Amino acid sequence: VFNMFKGLVGQKTITAEAMAPVLDKMRDHLIGKNVAADIADQLCTSVATKLEGRVLGTFSGVTSTIRQAIRDSLVQILTPKRRIDILRDVMEAKSQNRPYTITFCGVNGVGKSTNLAKICFWLVENGFRVLIAACDTFRAGAVEQLRTHARRMAALHPPENHGGVKMVQLYEKGYGKDAAGIAMEAINFAREQHIDVVLVDTAGRMQDNEPLMRALSKLIKVNQPELVLFVGEALVGNDSVDQLTKFNQALADFSSMENPRLIDGILLTKFDTIDDKVGASISMTYTTGQPVVFVGTGQTYTDLKALNVQAVVNALLK
Amino acid sequence: MVLADLGRKITNALRSLSNATVINEEVLNSMLGEICRALIESDVNIMLVKKLRENVRASLDLDDMAAGLNKRRMIQSVVFRELVKLVDPGVKAWQPVKGKSNIIMFVGLQGSGKTTTCTKLAYYYQKKGWKSCLTCADTFRAGAFDQLKQNATKARIPFYGSYTEMDPVVIAAEGVEKFRQEGFEIIIVDTSGRHKQEDSLFEEMLQVSNAVSPDNIVFVMDASIGQACESQARAFKDKVDVGAVIITKLDGHAKGGGALSAVAATKSPIVFIGTGEHIDDFEPFKTQPFISKLLGMGDIEGLIDR
Ligand SMILES: Nc1nc2c(ncn2[C@@H]2O[C@H](COP(=O)(O)OP(=O)(O)OP(=O)(O)O)[C@@H](O)[C@H]2O)c(=O)[nH]1
Ligand SMILES: Nc1nc2c(ncn2[C@@H]2O[C@H](COP(=O)(O)OP(=O)(O)OP(=O)(O)O)[C@@H](O)[C@H]2O)c(=O)[nH]1
Ligand SMILES: [Mg+2]
Ligand SMILES: [Mg+2]
C-alpha cells in the first residue's frame, strides 16, 4: 500500500550537504558533554558515511535520522562485546585452588586505591576472602591508605562472623621495593593461605613516563593477573584517549611477548562529579573496545555501580 | 612545555592570514576554526571557545576594513586580545608578606594533587628562606595525614595534624593558631578533596575557611580535566574566596586547557605549575611571559611588523 504513495511524497535521499550543519552541531554538543574531540569527529564522520545516499523515512527529517544514528552508535560503543563476570570467574579459580588476581592501573590520583577498596568490600560481601597487595611503593602514604581500608573492612567483617577466617588482609613490604616482586609474593601467599582474590594496587603513572610504564608492564607480565583494570576518571577530557592508547601500547611493547596481556576493562571513577558531562565513558570505550566494568560514584565502599548504558546515552544526547 | 602545542597551532593559524592573498570571510572563518579546534582539543571549555569566536567576529567587519596588511594586523590583534583574556584574569597574584603569618588554604577536586602540591609550595618558600609549615585538615581520606607527614618529614618541614581528631575545622584552627604563635610565615592548610555535588563537603570547606581566615585560597587542578572543569571551578569560587590556581601533572601529555577555564571561572591567576611527583617538580607561573611565549607573541609581533 505504501509503495503507491512513494512517488507522491517524493523520495528524499540524504545528502552530505544536508547533514553537515546538523553534524557540526552534534559534534559540538558531544564535545560539550566531554567526549574527546577526535572521538566526536570520528563518530560524526561514520554516521555521515552510513547515512549518505540513504532514503529518508517518510516521516523523519535529517536531524532526527542523524540523532537516531548517533544514538545507535553510542549504545553500541558502550555495550560490552564481552561480559566480564568477576564473581563467576573468582568461583572458577577457587574451584581450581588458585587465587584470582586483579591489577589496578592508571594515571595519578584517579582513584585506583579507593576503588580497589570498594571492589574488595564487594567481594567480601559476596563471601570471598581478599588479599590487598600494596604495590604502590612510591607515593607517600599509599601503604597506610590501604592499611586503613583493610582495617576498616576487617572491622566490618570480623572473623567471628566468618567462621574464624580473616576476610581481608593486607600484604605490604613498605616503600621503595620492586612492585612486581611484591605482587608475586602476595599471590604466592594467597595461594598458600587459600585466599580467593588478590587485588594489586599500583602507583599512579603518567602514560609518557617510560621507566614507570616499563615497570607496570613487567608487573603484569610476570604475574599474569586474571584481570587488568584501567582506572580512569570521568573528569578527564581529551587526554583519556592518549592514556588508554599508551597504557595498552606500553603493555604490548614492553612485554616482549607474543600475546601480551592488555587492558581487560575500565573502571570509571568520580562519576558523581560530572553532572551530565558523561562523555569520557565514550572516549574510553571507543578507544579500547573494552567495557566499563565498574563506575565509581562516590567515596564510600558502596559507591560502586555498573554502567547504565541507556542513562548515559540519554545524558549524552540531552 | 605547557600548552606548547596549542601555542604552535594558534601561531600557525594566524600565519595562514599572512599567506592568504586576499582576506575574505572564508579565510577568516577557516583561521578561527583552526584556533577554536586547537582550544577545544586542549580541553578549554566549549562555551568559552564559542564566546571567543563570537567576540572576534563581533569586533571585525571585513567590508569595513581597510585592505591588505592593516586588515591582517587588525585580525591578529583582535584574536590575540581574546586569547589573552582567556589566560589573564586581569588581577595581580597575591604575594605573601615577609615577617608576618601568611595563611594559604588549598582546595580542589579529589585527587587533583593538593597534598603533594602543599609540600611543594612549603618547600619552595622554605628554600627561599621563609619559615614554612603544613597543617593537615584532611580527616577524610584514608592515609591523608600519613601522606602529608611523610612528605613533610622528608622535606624537613614542620607539620601539624591528628590521627584522632575527626573535625577538620578544629585541626585547621589549632594548627594555624599554633604555627602563628610560633612565628611561622607560610602556613599552608591542606584540605580534603571535594566536589560541588556534595553540599556537606562544600559547607565544610567554608567552615575551615572561616576558622582560619586564609590570606589566599589556592584552587588546585589536574591538567587533564575536561569539560567539567568550568562548573566545578566556578562552584569553588562561589563558596570560598579562591585567589589563585595551581595546575598539576603538566609532566603528562595533557595540554592543560582546562586551566584556562579555571582562570575564567575563578577570575584568579595561575601561580604555579606542577611537573612531576617529586618535591621540586614545581615552577612559578607568570601570566605575562607565559602569554608571550605560549601564544607565540614574539612570532605574532614579528608577523605584524612585517
Ligand atoms: N567523588 C569521588 N571521589 C572519588 C571516587 N573514587 C575515588 N575518589 C577520590 O579520589 C581521590 C584519589 O583517590 P585514590 O584512590 O587515592 O587515587 P589513586 O589513583 O590511588 O591515586 P595515586 O595512587 O596517588 O595515583 C580520593 O580523595 C578518593 O576519595 C569517586 O568515584 N567519586
Ligand atoms: N605526574 C605528576 N603527578 C602528580 C603531580 N602532582 C601530584 N601528583 C600525583 O597525583 C596523585 C594525587 O595527588 P595528591 O596530592 O594525593 O592529591 P590530593 O588532591 O591531595 O587528593 P585528595 O586529598 O584525595 O583529594 C599522587 O599520585 C601524586 O603523586 C604532578 O605535577 N605530576
Ligand atoms: Mg593509589
Ligand atoms: Mg590530599
Side-chain angles (χ1 to χ4, degrees), chain A residues 109 111-114 136 139 142 145-146 201-204, chain B residues 141:
Chain A
K112 294 175 292 298
S113 311
T114 307
D136 178 353
R139 206 211 70 217
Q145 182 180 12
L146 292 178
D201 189 31
T202 67
Chain B
R141 171 166 163 185

Side-chain angles (χ1 to χ4, degrees), chain A residues 108, chain B residues 110-116 141 147 193 249 251 274 276-277:
Chain A
N108 302 88
Chain B
Q110 289 90 350
S112 57
K114 295 174 293 299
T115 306
T116 310
R141 171 166 163 185
Q147 183 184 7
K249 312 185 196 176
D251 47 322
E277 296 191 72

Side-chain angles (χ1 to χ4, degrees), chain B residues 62-107:
Chain B
L62 284 184
D63 299 333
D64 220 35
M65 277 158 61
L69 199 61
N70 201 22
K71 209 177 203 170
R72 295 180 220 276
R73 183 179 302 173
M74 249 176 101
I75 296 172
Q76 281 161 347
S77 71
V78 166
V79 170
F80 188 65
R81 197 181 64 213
E82 289 299 321
L83 287 168
V84 168
K85 270 208 292 202
L86 275 183
V87 199
D88 186 0
V91 293
K92 268 188 71 177
W94 170 86
Q95 293 295 337
V97 181
K98 260 286 191 203
K100 103 174 232 296
S101 289
N102 299 275
I103 296 149
I104 308 169
M105 175 175 162
F106 273 48
V107 300

Side-chain angles (χ1 to χ4, degrees), chain A residues 28 31 34 41 108 138-141 144-145 175 208 235-239 242 270 272-273 275 299, chain B residues 37 40-41 43 46 110 140-142 146-147 150-151 195-197 224 226-227 232 249 252-253 277:
Chain A
D28 281 0
I31 289 170
N34 203 35
D41 270 347
N108 302 88
F138 174 74
R139 206 211 70 217
E144 288 78 6
Q145 182 180 12
Y175 294 94
D208 286 317
L235 285 162
V236 68
N238 284 281
D239 201 41
D242 196 69
K270 307 186 192 175
D272 51 323
T273 69
D275 297 327
Q299 305 190 81
Chain B
R37 178 78 196 180
I40 284 171
E41 282 174 352
D43 292 314
I46 191 154
Q110 289 90 350
F140 180 79
R141 171 166 163 185
D146 288 295
Q147 183 184 7
Q150 288 170 17
N151 280 336
H195 54 296
K196 72 181 173 78
Q197 288 84 353
S224 76
Q227 295 290 321
Q232 288 289 356
K249 312 185 196 176
H253 170 270
E277 296 191 72

